[in-house]
Amino acid sequence: MKKILETVFHYVEVVCKVLMIIQVIAVSIVVIGRQVFSKTPAWGEEITLFALVWVAMLGSAILLKNDGHISVTAFDQWLPKKVIRVLDLISYLFLMFFAVMMVFYGFKLIELTSRNVLPALQIKSSWLYASVPISSIGMILILIEKIYLLLRHKDPILS
């Protein structure tokens, strides 16, 4: 499973990089259009929003995989390793619950927005909100691996 997750998240990182490039180009075109030509393309703000939302959501899954989220570790030096493991497990279980709720309500959000269309891009706005359940499914897979490694007494950070 680790190999599959590594491969999948390699491609997720590539998608994020491409979306960031698209976002920078779109924002540059909008700014230059507004400042130089006093006219902006209609699609500029929508494609920037689309890229921003997808990068933020997919990026949160990547950060979870790489343990890049902010965490409070001030007391870790004084606590026994068993206590830290239990606290990590509780943290992962809370994150799992949150991710499951995001999948459930993310699909409801997609259903609610399936009739709306982004006017400039002419795509359903549900494509914008699909980032919520998709990134949450990625988080769930990562959390399953982290919980498995924690219960097998392997440090998820080092493996």
Side-chain angles (χ1 to χ4, degrees), residues 9-27 43 47-48 50-56 58-59 62:
F9 276 91
H10 168 73
Y11 289 111
V12 170
E13 287 180 20
V14 169
V15 167
C16 283
K17 290 174 185 175
V18 169
L19 287 173
M20 284 297 292
I21 292 168
I22 290 170
Q23 186 177 4
V24 167
I25 292 170
V27 168
W43 52 264
I47 202 156
T48 301
F50 190 87
L52 175 73
V53 169
W54 274 91
V55 167
L58 292 175
I62 292 169

Side-chain angles (χ1 to χ4, degrees), residues 123-158:
I123 61 172
K124 291 183 184 263
S125 61
S126 55
W127 282 102
L128 177 67
Y129 299 110
S131 62
V132 174
I134 289 173
S135 64
S136 300
I137 289 169
M139 289 180 196
I140 290 169
L141 294 174
I142 293 162
L143 287 165
I144 289 170
E145 179 190 31
K146 287 185 177 292
I147 291 170
Y148 172 77
L149 291 173
L150 190 69
L151 294 176
R152 299 262 305 163
H153 298 292
K154 294 181 180 178
D155 192 355
I157 296 171
L158 300 176

Side-chain angles (χ1 to χ4, degrees), residues 81-152:
K81 287 198 182 268
K82 278 190 173 189
V83 173
I84 293 171
R85 283 188 184 281
V86 170
L87 292 174
D88 285 345
L89 180 62
I90 292 169
S91 172
Y92 292 153
L93 291 174
F94 274 119
L95 284 170
M96 180 75 77
F97 175 76
F98 181 71
V100 169
M101 290 295 106
M102 283 179 49
V103 169
F104 179 75
Y105 288 106
F107 281 119
K108 284 188 175 241
L109 183 61
I110 289 171
E111 186 180 324
L112 283 172
T113 59
S114 64
R115 294 188 182 148
N116 299 342
V117 174
L118 296 173
L121 294 178
Q122 291 299 308
I123 61 172
K124 291 183 184 263
S125 61
S126 55
W127 282 102
L128 177 67
Y129 299 110
S131 62
V132 174
I134 289 173
S135 64
S136 300
I137 289 169
M139 289 180 196
I140 290 169
L141 294 174
I142 293 162
L143 287 165
I144 289 170
E145 179 190 31
K146 287 185 177 292
I147 291 170
Y148 172 77
L149 291 173
L150 190 69
L151 294 176
R152 299 262 305 163

